[in-house]
Amino acid sequence: MTDRFTVRASRAFIDGAFRQASVVVDDGVIAYVLPHDARVPRSRTVLVPDDAVLLPGLVDSHVHVNEPGRTEWEGFRSATLAAAAGGVTTLVDMPLNSIPPTTTVDALRVKQDAAAPAAFVDLGFWGGAVPENLGALAPLHAAGVYGFKCFLAPSGVDEFGHLDRAQLDAAMDEIAALGSRLIVHAEDPAHLHGDGELGRGYAGFLASRPPESEEAAIDAVIAAARRTGGRAHILHLSDGRALPAIRAAKAEGVALTVETCPHYLTIVAEDIPDGASEFKCCPPIREAANQDLLWEGIVDGTIDAIVSDHSPSTVDLKRAGAGDFGLAWGGIAGLQVGLSAVWTEARGRGIPLETLIPLFTTGPAGVAGLPDAGRIAAGAPAHLTVFGVDDALPVRAADLLHRNPITAYDGRMLTGKIRRTWLHGAVVFDVTEGGPGEAPWRRQAPTGRLLASPHAERVDA
């Protein structure tokens, strides 16, 4: 049980805008949202400095935790500590690259058993749709997964196979009938080329995964969602040229959402050095002109969410092939710094913070179906974070709480830093409380909860 306290802020993000407020927290829940100068009996007061803002806890609906099976890549303790340090209080774990992948109820229970004693933030879980379990997704749906992820091109791990076009249609039929959602890694293998060594130049890797691959796959997903009326979600959009088709589908009423990631919004292909395989991800980081198109999709509301796609591995795997982009593991580690990275870029473009916050909160919450996450409102969990909007944040990979000290953001000077994060009213991160290894929030018992979709028939937490 947590105590009763009031957080007073001159700028709190409530109902889509910043305003003065006093947020009263009682037993881990937001009890009231009151005017800034309201008297609150029997409550201690926490003041948010005027140079910071109070935000709802962020939501990241696209995280690869990898435990069990590849816990040396990342684990629930390290991932959720990094999440809290990045202001994220709710994340949804991807069904790969753990072993076993979350493609059966038994595998989901194994993952939940690993997560329960180690989670510093709230956790939900995606299921996987692979060739072997098509036609048998209902038990996973009933067990509480928030939807089903599939790949339309090889996933990079043998235990999680990809779907061809006929299997995509079959999965969409089944998932629509369940009332769930299909989330899709949208690259068409017919347009991918180059397997194995590609060399240390980034241009060769970029050419091997052209925009046409994303566009063809997205067209197929739109067609399947249109035909069935089911909900579909495009993961990690990197190709800005695909946005017109997405806009048109949404305008038509297709049940479609789309996300992009901080690395696509803040890094450009022209700046990636030879051999810098920490920048490798699939789909790839593209050119500056393409990035401008993605930002247009942010501003006009076409893009629904900004999520990390935190996909870490060991340093050895990221450096495999001595910087050969064809041989290194593909994935960006950025869970802890996403908001800071995007805010740094947005400021330079003259885009206000209030444009971004829904994309880090209610946007991904809506994608996953988490109605109580990402909001400061009476009755919602007391997930809150304080963000110093002008704070300098020099990124050193070794200082991040990710398990492995390698990231595409290493050496960057960002603007904006998370100062404190509450989960269910308890502090789970505070930048002022000691250095690495001695901060009280790192020694406390994990208090994150395992979440299940509202349609779950039972929840083993």
Side-chain angles (χ1 to χ4, degrees), residues 184-203:
V184 185
H185 181 121
E187 289 184 288
D188 186 333
H191 295 274
L192 302 179
H193 46 271
D195 189 20
E197 295 182 9
L198 289 172
R200 289 171 49 84
Y202 186 74

Side-chain angles (χ1 to χ4, degrees), residues 32-115:
Y32 308 100
V33 179
L34 302 174
H36 185 267
D37 58 356
R39 293 185 59 196
V40 184
R42 301 180 304 281
S43 175
R44 65 183 178 88
T45 299
V46 178
L47 294 176
V48 175
D50 287 344
D51 64 346
V53 297
L54 181 67
L55 305 177
L58 310 185
V59 180
D60 193 335
S61 56
H62 192 151
V63 179
H64 294 266
V65 177
N66 305 328
E67 185 178 2
R70 291 191 174 98
T71 310
E72 69 275 15
W73 295 16
E74 193 69 276
F76 285 106
R77 180 179 175 84
S78 55
T80 56
L81 278 170
V88 175
T89 53
T90 306
L91 64 82
V92 190
D93 174 64
M94 283 290 162
L96 72 164
N97 300 299
S98 56
I99 301 175
T102 315
T103 55
T104 66
V105 173
D106 287 345
L108 173 64
R109 300 304 180 210
V110 168
K111 183 169 283 193
Q112 290 174 323
D113 288 345

